[in-house]
Amino acid sequence: MGKLHIVGGGAIGSLIAASAQKNGVPYDCYPRNIKTMPAYAQWQDGQSIALKPAIPAPVVLEKDDVLILPLKVYQLNAALIQWLPYLSRKPTVVLMHNGMGGLEVARDLLGRDYPLLLATTSHGALKENTSCGDFQVKYTGLGVTQIGAPNLAAPSPQKLADLLQVAPQLANAIAALDSALPPVQYRSDILKALWTKLSVNAVINPLTALHNIQNKHITKPEYEQSRIAICNEFTQVANAYGLDFDARSAHENVLSVAKATGENYSSMHQDVTYGRQTEIDAINGYIVEMAKKKGILVPENTLLVERVKALTN
Ligand code: PAF
């Protein structure tokens, strides 16, 4: 099995590293800032797992290695440019982020036939500053990682066993990820899974950030009009690109994720709270951009982009 090389010191990257450590899967971490890389992970049962010391700079990867980029979309371009000289043997690259736009960045830099996996995860993790001044990551909710191979010629193989025949390198990378942080589900229609996650983020993230509330509160009647408008616009745009969504089901799914993650503060809420750049451009901004190309009007999403940007300016 190749090694997992995890870029960035964020919550999800650190969780994958900690879980790899726990399950005996070889890995290394490459945070941007070694000082803010979590030293420990706190499991839900109270177990504490110490992470390996991080590596300060990229190294040449082998073909069976897996480069995982659990970064924000706006960080992806710089990270891939930094890693490009080390990818000549074409190791598998895995993108894992909220929102959309990462695939386009990766295709521009690596080419359309690069061995690439796109993933979305519902595992919950929180990076925290400890009283000793270092960082730890807390595993806040068991989830699932969905993954697919967008650069394979369509139609994508239906099952992982079929993928193993067509693209063994990618199937083995998925198996390595599943050994590190299970469960990992192969999706032949990964773009549908990513658009589904986009619909969830497009409602929960801006509403929680703008109204300074936990996820569960967006289910209240006072946000119903906005929720429905976002889902209607989302559905029009997604369907214009050949996806098959229904606004009512999209809305029901948003409500069920908001309830299941009810006590959480969304990632956008946290970004606003800590004065960090938000992912609004990759979420509601992506819907607005895709709508423009098809001549669809999306006033609710447009307004949310403006209002969230105004919060962080
Ligand atoms: O961005 C987030 O916070 C998460 O993707 C989600 C699903 C909204 C839960 O908090």
Side-chain angles (χ1 to χ4, degrees):
M1 189 195 294
K3 201 184 226 185
L4 305 183
H5 299 265
I6 304 160
V7 179
I12 291 294
S14 307
L15 178 69
I16 298 170
S19 199
Q21 174 81 31
K22 191 167 145 70
N23 293 319
V25 174
Y27 74 97
D28 272 317
C29 293
Y30 306 81
R32 256 188 325 164
N33 181 353
I34 278 211
K35 288 196 193 119
T36 62
M37 177 76 205
Y40 292 90
Q42 194 74 38
W43 241 241
Q44 282 166 320
D45 59 5
Q47 195 184 357
S48 182
I49 293 161
L51 292 175
K52 277 173 73 176
I55 310 268
V59 296
V60 173
L61 301 191
E62 300 300 328
K63 196 169 178 56
D64 65 347
D65 283 338
V66 183
L67 183 69
I68 307 173
L69 298 152
L71 301 174
K72 312 260 191 191
V73 175
Y74 60 78
Q75 298 171 323
L76 208 52
N77 194 60
L80 275 174
I81 288 175
Q82 190 195 14
W83 274 89
L84 259 180
Y86 305 89
L87 304 180
S88 55
R89 294 177 191 151
K90 296 207 165 183
T92 303
V93 167
V94 182
L95 308 184
M96 197 181 270
H97 53 72
N98 265 347
M100 306 288 274
L103 178 60
E104 289 82 349
V105 172
R107 280 180 172 165
D108 278 352
L109 290 169
L110 303 172
R112 290 187 76 91
D113 56 355
Y114 193 91
L116 184 76
L117 293 171
L118 263 185
T120 173
T121 190
S122 58
H123 288 287
L126 200 62
K127 184 169 159 179
E128 291 177 332
N129 217 328
T130 70
S131 51
C132 319
D134 53 12
F135 287 84
Q136 70 164 18
V137 63
K138 222 173 173 176
Y139 197 175
T140 52
L142 289 178
V144 175
T145 300
Q146 301 185 74
I147 198 161
N151 282 352
L152 287 186
S156 272
Q158 283 301 307
K159 299 206 171 87
L160 191 55
D162 305 329
L163 183 70
L164 188 62
Q165 302 304 317
V166 184
Q169 178 185 341
L170 297 181
N172 289 334
I174 293 174
L177 276 166
D178 189 43
S179 305
L181 179 61
V184 175
Q185 283 172 359
Y186 168 67
R187 291 274 305 244
S188 58
D189 58 346
I190 187 62
L191 289 179
K192 178 88 195 246
L194 292 181
W195 277 85
T196 304
K197 182 79 191 300
L198 178 66
S199 66
V200 168
N201 288 130
V203 180
I204 298 181
N205 294 29
L207 292 183
T208 52
L210 287 167
H211 300 285
N212 191 15
I213 49 177
Q214 286 164 300
N215 291 356
K216 63 183 174 193
H217 296 303
I218 69 111
T219 62
K220 290 182 178 166
E222 65 215 75
Y223 303 116
E224 183 174 356
Q225 213 185 339
S226 184
R227 286 192 318 257
I228 290 177
I230 302 166
C231 289
N232 284 344
E233 293 178 3
F234 164 84
T235 304
Q236 275 186 60
V237 176
N239 291 354
Y241 285 90
L243 291 125
D244 182 20
F245 279 94
D246 153 62
R248 187 184 288 250
S249 317
H251 182 232
E252 274 162 21
N253 184 45
V254 167
L255 291 178
S256 79
V257 175
K259 283 179 197 150
T261 61
E263 298 304 314
N264 291 7
Y265 285 100
S266 77
S267 52
M268 194 172 286
H269 180 282
Q270 291 176 53
D271 287 339
V272 168
T273 305
Y274 295 108
R276 300 187 295 240
Q277 184 174 346
T278 72
E279 296 173 292
I280 194 74
D281 283 332
I283 301 176
N284 305 81
Y286 185 81
I287 296 173
V288 173
E289 281 309 306
M290 297 303 271
K292 233 182 243 166
K293 289 183 192 157
K294 297 278 182 185
I296 301 170
L297 294 177
V298 287
E300 189 72 18
N301 281 281
T302 307
L303 185 65
L304 288 172
V305 173
E306 284 167 14
R307 289 183 62 199
V308 170
K309 288 201 167 172
L311 275 185
T312 45
N313 279 341

